[in-house]
Amino acid sequence: MIDLEIQVQSEPVTRKFRIRKELSKEFDLYVKAAQEKSSGADESLVLEAILRNHFKRDKGFKAWLQHREAPDEAGP
């Protein structure tokens, strides 16, 4: 069984992007596996869960966010 938590939270926004055919096929299979685990899962919820999981584990992104959100130490 896949390791993915499906969460429905706020109102979704629409995004458009393109991915390679091979990745699209693999994503379709991942969605199918997620639907076997959580019957209400759809492509959007699965993609959200994948991104949420990746962002949580990406140390470089976390460091970048901290640097970006850190108050300006130089001050006035």
Side-chain angles (χ1 to χ4, degrees):
M1 196 56 64
I2 65 172
D3 180 24
L4 197 65
E5 278 187 49
I6 304 294
Q7 299 176 2
V8 178
Q9 294 187 353
S10 61
E11 187 68 29
V13 296
T14 300
R15 305 286 303 246
K16 293 182 181 184
F17 59 93
R18 298 169 10 150
I19 58 175
R20 301 281 178 228
K21 187 175 184 177
E22 299 78 20
L23 186 57
S24 178
K25 288 180 181 180
E26 193 169 3
F27 178 68
D28 289 341
L29 291 172
Y30 203 89
V31 170
K32 186 174 183 170
Q35 289 170 336
E36 289 179 9
K37 181 179 179 183
S38 303
S39 61
D42 63 12
E43 289 180 341
S44 295
L45 291 174
V46 171
L47 183 58
E48 284 180 27
I50 291 169
L51 289 171
R52 189 177 299 113
N53 190 32
H54 179 76
F55 294 155
K56 183 171 44 173
R57 294 180 182 184
D58 189 327
K59 293 177 184 177
F61 180 62
K62 285 182 183 180
W64 179 84
L65 274 179
Q66 281 185 323
H67 182 303
R68 183 174 181 265
E69 295 173 352
D72 187 6
E73 294 180 17

